[in-house]
Amino acid sequence: MDNTKPHETLSRPIAESVIAKMRRHKRGIAAGIKHLIAGRAMAEELQKTVVSQKELAGFDPAHAAYVYTQNQVSVMSEQLTALKEMAPFVDILSRAEDLYMTSSPPMSPLTTSYFTCWAFFDACAGPANETIGTTILEAGAAFGMRPELLRRVRMMQDSRMGFYIHRGREGHVSILEDLVTAAVYRAMVPAGYSGRKNENWYVRLLRPPIPGGKEHVVFTTPYIVVHPDFAEWLAYFRRTFPTTAGFDDYERHMKYGPTREYWNDYVFEAYVNYQTDAIFLAGLPDIPESRPHSRISEANGWRGPDF
């Protein structure tokens, strides 16, 4: 699985086909997308879908920057996927929506914030493992997307879900330690979940979007893994990687998984319970009987701990 950063030079056939079409056509959908990416002459109906400054006013500035960016990516994605060159992504997302019925618990443990980040930035297609996000980045660079928006889209594209040990709070900030790398981050949690020390959080942590900012943003509603303990999770990663594995192997595994649906399946099958600001999971990705909603567990009756 390709783990090359999207701003590095390499061949991206899907993006190249999209850009070529946009350059050829002076009218129609392709031309409209070009203007949309450049921030010019946005159609009135599209303007209505863009989050307003008034709506963002109640958000912390760092969170607001990413909410705005995600909203812009969503609008661009909706337009781009009307092009036949983007059909591989349409197929992937249609299948995933049918499988997981994404919304929020109790309908589905795959929340909108989780699923849209996966759909835009992780769900890859084609020989270069392109995503909707990398396509937007390529088109944005070609057609004059505002540099600040381009930078934030790139930060979201480079992000991934990860497991973090909750090390406690400092005021409104949670201290999160990457379970594998031991890197420590100060993070705001817009969902409002304060957490308890030594919880295992599965979240998408985004870098500070504002230059000079010190706090990362937990962009998804926190998934709290209530079982098993950290020792068993570290054993999972030792089983998963050869002794020669390095940092890039870990990053690739957390972003893409061994299969496209690997982490989606994990969340779907590990779901235990929820509250307004958090969702609770149990089990390991490679032990089906440890997850309450795996086929094995549902056939035999799950024998996990009570919560």
Side-chain angles (χ1 to χ4, degrees), residues 2-304:
D2 176 29
N3 197 41
T4 309
K5 299 299 184 188
H7 52 283
E8 291 177 357
T9 302
L10 77 170
S11 176
R12 297 194 184 277
I14 296 174
E16 289 166 5
S17 297
V18 166
I19 291 168
K21 173 174 275 191
M22 291 162 67
R23 283 180 169 146
R24 285 196 308 271
H25 292 77
K26 304 300 182 184
R27 299 178 183 173
I29 293 175
I33 296 169
K34 179 167 61 176
H35 293 310
L36 174 62
I37 285 173
R40 301 192 304 269
M42 186 179 291
E44 184 178 347
E45 60 270 21
L46 290 179
Q47 191 71 272
K48 293 176 183 176
T49 69
V50 176
V51 65
S52 69
Q53 293 299 321
K54 183 178 179 180
E55 291 172 301
L56 292 173
F59 292 77
D60 179 275
H63 184 216
Y66 279 126
V67 170
Y68 177 80
T69 303
Q70 177 85 337
N71 188 254
Q72 291 286 341
V73 168
S74 180
V75 172
M76 293 177 203
S77 171
E78 184 176 353
Q79 298 302 300
L80 280 168
T81 51
L83 302 176
K84 66 179 179 61
E85 289 81 2
M86 298 289 283
F89 299 116
V90 175
D91 293 342
I92 290 167
L93 301 189
S94 295
R95 180 177 182 275
E97 286 168 355
D98 290 342
L99 272 175
Y100 304 112
M101 301 176 292
T102 57
S103 173
S104 60
M107 288 294 293
S108 171
L110 273 67
T111 64
T112 300
S113 61
Y114 170 90
F115 185 78
T116 53
C117 283
W118 173 81
F120 297 152
F121 308 119
D122 300 346
C124 53
N129 296 320
E130 296 175 79
T131 67
I132 290 173
T134 62
T135 305
I136 289 172
L137 285 169
E138 296 285 339
F143 296 111
M145 181 184 287
R146 287 177 289 121
E148 180 57 22
L149 180 58
L150 195 67
R151 183 182 73 88
R152 291 201 303 263
V153 174
R154 180 173 295 122
M155 290 166 74
M156 296 191 82
Q157 173 58 47
D158 288 349
S159 72
R160 58 161 175 83
M161 294 291 289
F163 293 95
Y164 300 88
I165 306 169
H166 189 278
R167 292 302 192 191
R169 301 269 293 179
E170 291 182 3
H172 71 287
V173 173
S174 290
I175 310 302
L176 302 179
E177 177 184 326
D178 189 292
L179 177 60
V180 173
T181 69
V184 177
Y185 306 94
R186 293 171 51 83
M188 67 175 63
V189 188
Y193 183 71
S194 297
R196 292 189 294 272
K197 197 170 183 179
N198 293 324
E199 284 179 332
N200 185 0
W201 287 28
Y202 179 57
V203 294
R204 185 174 291 260
L205 198 61
L206 301 180
R207 300 202 311 270
I210 300 169
K214 299 187 183 307
E215 296 173 358
H216 287 61
V217 178
V218 175
F219 195 68
T220 51
T221 302
Y223 290 100
I224 311 304
V225 185
V226 295
H227 179 79
D229 61 21
F230 293 121
E232 291 191 54
W233 272 99
L234 291 172
Y236 160 75
F237 285 111
R238 286 193 294 271
R239 290 193 300 273
T240 301
F241 299 122
T243 55
T244 55
F247 177 75
D248 286 348
D249 298 286
Y250 168 64
E251 291 289 308
R252 190 179 300 116
H253 180 75
M254 293 309 306
K255 187 167 180 65
Y256 302 111
T259 64
R260 188 182 290 120
E261 289 82 18
Y262 185 80
W263 291 112
N264 293 347
D265 285 343
Y266 171 70
V267 171
F268 200 79
E269 295 182 358
Y271 170 67
V272 174
N273 205 345
Y274 78 102
Q275 59 190 46
T276 304
D277 53 6
I279 301 164
F280 302 96
L281 308 177
L284 293 163
D286 65 340
I287 302 178
E289 56 270 27
S290 72
R291 302 188 301 276
H293 299 289
S294 69
R295 291 180 182 176
I296 291 175
S297 292
E298 291 193 335
N300 299 330
W302 190 51
R303 296 292 183 265

